[in-house]
Amino acid sequence: MSIKEYIKSRWDNHAKKYDNISAHGINSEKDKRAVRSALQEVLGDRKKVLDVGCGTGFLSLILAELGHDVIGVDLSEGMLSKAKKKAEENGYDILFKLGDAENLPFENDSFDAIVERHILWTLPNPEKAINGWAKLLKNGGKLILIESEKKEGNVANHHYNEEIAKELPFSNGIDLEKFKEIANECNLTFKVETLDCEKINLMIVCEKTC
């Protein structure tokens, strides 16, 4: 089994209980308000937005509520099934697609904004992913990452076996210095903010400059 097949299987099996586990979704009203307010300030009026690694759709729903045209992509069919159900129940017209965050099925210059929450830690090739996301943005488009900063230990060990965890460069949180290097190479500006959220509270806002 390849690393991607392992990761996909892990989250397919985890989909049913995902929203009930702290830090996996945006569950508290306090966190929802903080994320909603931050996204509204950064994005402004209606935009075409891609939610990468959308999971069960918690971020996609907030974006749709703010009036944006949203496409959500995830590697896990189980996660997407939950996302589609939630969108239907809330009356939102969101397109959810099966896709790999490191090899997205869209044309360059397609989106006004790309967002993700707590995805980089689970990618074997985060540099490749970020470079690909930058290409999908229109000039002046925004890349918004909601992440946790680098910690001691290895966060991925809570979800994957040790062999897989070792293959994930940001497995213990995002290394801001490393990310800054990647952003510069991708012609992305770099700004860090702190959200008033319980756990995943680091928001990195990048803008494509050319």
Side-chain angles (χ1 to χ4, degrees):
M1 181 183 292
S2 71
I3 186 170
K4 288 292 180 70
E5 289 171 336
Y6 177 94
I7 291 171
K8 179 183 183 300
S9 174
R10 176 68 177 78
W11 295 110
D12 277 339
N13 293 332
H14 204 52
K16 289 183 179 180
K17 58 183 179 181
Y18 181 90
D19 287 326
N20 298 322
I21 299 176
S22 177
H24 280 184
I26 303 174
N27 298 314
S28 74
E29 287 303 316
K30 174 178 172 289
D31 283 9
K32 288 178 184 177
R33 286 194 299 270
V35 171
R36 186 187 297 115
S37 176
L39 290 175
Q40 187 170 28
E41 182 176 347
V42 173
L43 293 173
D45 296 333
R46 186 174 184 175
K47 300 287 192 306
K48 184 178 180 182
V49 184
L50 177 65
D51 180 9
V52 180
C54 64
T56 62
F58 49 87
L59 199 56
S60 293
L61 265 64
I62 291 174
L63 291 162
E65 180 185 333
L66 290 172
H68 300 294
D69 297 322
V70 185
I71 297 176
V73 175
D74 202 276
L75 189 65
S76 164
E77 292 167 319
M79 291 288 194
L80 289 174
S81 178
K82 294 269 290 185
K84 291 174 183 176
K85 182 178 180 181
K86 287 198 281 188
E88 290 171 1
E89 290 174 347
N90 286 275
Y92 292 127
D93 184 18
I94 302 172
L95 175 62
F96 290 106
K97 294 173 65 72
L98 189 68
D100 182 348
E102 296 179 357
N103 296 282
L104 290 170
F106 305 103
E107 294 183 1
N108 292 347
D109 306 310
S110 295
F111 296 96
D112 300 304
I114 295 175
V115 303
E116 65 88 6
R117 181 184 181 276
H118 205 36
I119 295 301
L120 288 178
W121 74 271
T122 194
L123 299 181
N125 304 290
E127 187 167 353
K128 178 183 178 183
I130 295 163
N131 183 59
W133 301 346
K135 290 177 180 178
L136 296 182
L137 286 172
K138 299 174 183 177
N139 190 30
K142 301 283 177 48
L143 174 62
I144 304 168
L145 306 99
I146 301 174
E147 289 285 346
S148 58
E149 197 167 355
K150 186 175 181 180
K151 300 178 177 66
E152 294 297 325
N154 196 311
V155 175
N157 285 338
H158 295 297
H159 299 282
Y160 306 140
N161 64 44
E162 187 175 352
E163 182 179 351
I164 295 294
K166 286 179 179 178
E167 298 299 318
L168 308 176
F170 288 151
S171 60
N172 60 337
I174 189 165
D175 182 330
L176 288 175
E177 286 303 314
K178 177 59 177 175
F179 180 83
K180 187 175 182 178
E181 292 176 11
I182 298 171
N184 288 336
E185 292 172 0
C186 296
N187 295 313
L188 296 169
T189 63
F190 178 90
K191 182 174 68 171
V192 180
E193 302 178 15
T194 301
L195 299 175
D196 186 20
C197 293
E198 184 178 349
K199 290 188 176 181
I200 312 301
N201 63 353
L202 195 71
M203 186 169 80
I204 302 169
V205 179
C206 303
E207 181 172 331
K208 185 175 179 179
T209 57
C210 65

